[in-house]
Amino acid sequence: FGGIFLCSISALALYSSVVYNIAISRSNLELIFNTVILLFVNELDEKMHSCLETISPTWLEMTSDSIKATFSNTNDLVENTGGEEVQDSILDHQRRINELEEEIERITQFGRRIDELEAEIERITQLGRRLVQRSVAMKISRGGNTKLKKKMAKIVAKQVANRKEIKRMNITNQEQGRKVESLESELKHFKAGCE
């Protein structure tokens, strides 16, 4: 039973890493970059364990024995309770993971919306530049055009409104980023509690 539980936790960690990586990556390059970072951290963890094994094997063995004792007590508890508490705990954990994944998806959609708005602003800015160039040419040739000035005023007002919207979206994005960080921290803490 313990082996199945440990294997399911490892599979869940793999699944959440993949989902998280896909959710936060906006391009294939970022996906590869994030994967390389995860692999590097994993390799670093293995190297740290090897260093500890070399530097202080007694302490490492004592810590490993302590961890084994803790988990063997958990197995005794599972056997004594018939596994009902563990099953309830697993269901609670799964529910919380699903909530976190939904939150990450909402934040990802929010990020996509910000990207769309930035592209729209860029398009409007380019249109504004073209209109400015045309208005200068028309002023030179005709001495000014009130209709063009009104259009320019509308474009400038729209740009100002879009900039305000971008600022608001950036503030919201930063808040969402902090929320994601806290959710990730909670998920890590949660995973650590499961192990």
Side-chain angles (χ1 to χ4, degrees), residues 56-169:
S56 181
T58 308
W59 178 82
L60 187 62
E61 185 177 339
M62 184 176 61
T63 305
S64 297
D65 290 343
S66 172
I67 292 170
K68 287 177 187 174
T70 302
F71 282 108
S72 70
N73 290 340
T74 304
N75 289 339
D76 293 341
L77 177 66
V78 170
E79 290 172 4
N80 291 339
T81 62
E84 293 171 7
E85 291 178 16
V86 172
Q87 289 176 348
D88 290 342
S89 176
I90 289 172
L91 290 175
D92 288 342
H93 292 314
Q94 185 63 41
R95 180 188 52 77
R96 183 65 183 139
I97 288 171
N98 290 339
E99 290 172 0
L100 292 173
E101 287 174 349
E102 289 172 4
E103 186 67 24
I104 289 171
E105 179 60 30
R106 281 195 298 272
I107 291 169
T108 303
Q109 289 174 353
F110 187 72
R112 289 182 192 134
R113 179 67 182 136
I114 289 174
D115 291 343
E116 290 170 3
L117 286 173
E118 288 173 349
E120 181 68 19
I121 288 170
E122 180 61 31
R123 188 182 68 78
I124 290 171
T125 304
Q126 289 174 357
L127 287 173
R129 287 183 193 136
R130 281 190 239 152
L131 283 174
V132 166
Q133 291 170 351
R134 287 181 185 170
S135 71
V136 168
M138 289 179 79
K139 273 186 177 182
I140 292 171
S141 67
R142 295 187 188 161
N145 187 343
T146 57
K147 200 174 192 181
L148 185 59
K149 288 179 185 178
K150 287 180 183 178
K151 284 184 180 180
M152 281 301 296
K154 286 180 183 178
I155 289 173
V156 169
K158 190 171 183 179
Q159 284 179 338
V160 169
N162 284 339
R163 286 185 186 130
K164 287 180 182 178
E165 178 68 13
I166 284 177
K167 286 180 183 178
R168 187 187 67 75
M169 294 291 264

Side-chain angles (χ1 to χ4, degrees), residues 16-57:
S16 63
S17 295
V18 169
V19 168
Y20 172 75
N21 236 350
I22 291 171
I24 65 167
S25 299
R26 295 183 182 187
S27 67
N28 288 341
L29 182 62
E30 285 183 15
L31 182 65
I32 292 169
F33 182 72
N34 291 337
T35 304
V36 168
I37 289 173
L38 286 173
L39 291 172
F40 175 74
V41 169
N42 189 28
E43 183 68 23
L44 189 63
D45 181 55
E46 290 177 15
K47 295 296 181 188
M48 288 298 291
H49 187 269
S50 298
C51 288
L52 282 174
E53 203 170 64
T54 304
I55 294 171
S56 181

